[in-house]
Amino acid sequence: QVQLVESGGGSVQPGGSLRLSCAASGRILPINAVAWYRQAPGREREMVAGLAGTSTTKYLDSVKGRFTISRDIARNTLYLQMNSLKAEDTAVYYCNMKTSWGDYWGQGTQVTVSS
């Protein structure tokens, strides 16, 4: 059974940084694409950053230059480095992995940016 476990969320002041991790276990390979999504209260879930293959990335315009998605293939772990955080980045963040076996989601981790 595939399981994605996220960690690294928390509370931070504006301008701060957080690094989210998403560790995958189970029959997850091969992974075709990975991504981070977020959902703020009262808003639809949106893709924040995506990575296809080993180097093709896509970012939400509002996070370009501040967020970086990366992946440790050997550890089946996905990361999201978030710098210069803003109040509007406050949301529950979810990791997503699209594999040849299915589309999997993490349980979500709360990120709160507040002074």
Side-chain angles (χ1 to χ4, degrees):
Q1 183 167 345
V2 173
Q3 189 174 19
L4 304 185
V5 178
E6 300 168 9
S7 60
S11 296
V12 65
Q13 292 186 340
S17 297
L18 285 173
R19 188 193 195 203
L20 305 183
S21 299
C22 173
S25 61
R27 196 180 190 186
I28 195 74
L29 297 177
I31 299 172
N32 301 319
V34 294
W36 287 95
Y37 288 73
R38 69 185 181 189
Q39 188 167 18
R43 302 191 65 175
E44 293 187 356
R45 189 174 296 190
E46 61 182 355
M47 191 181 80
V48 175
L51 174 61
T54 59
S55 61
T56 302
T57 58
K58 182 177 182 179
Y59 294 94
L60 186 67
D61 284 347
S62 62
V63 308
K64 285 180 181 177
R66 300 189 296 121
F67 290 11
T68 302
I69 187 171
S70 62
R71 176 183 164 190
D72 185 330
I73 295 175
R75 291 187 168 89
N76 286 335
T77 301
L78 176 65
Y79 301 100
L80 184 68
Q81 178 66 44
M82 304 185 294
N83 299 326
S84 302
L85 282 160
K86 304 176 180 181
E88 51 263 42
D89 295 319
T90 295
V92 177
Y93 284 71
Y94 299 89
C95 62
N96 171 259
M97 294 189 182
K98 292 178 171 52
T99 80
S100 297
W101 309 104
D103 193 0
Y104 302 100
W105 292 87
Q107 81 284 0
T109 186
Q110 177 70 45
V111 171
T112 302
V113 185
S114 174
S115 55

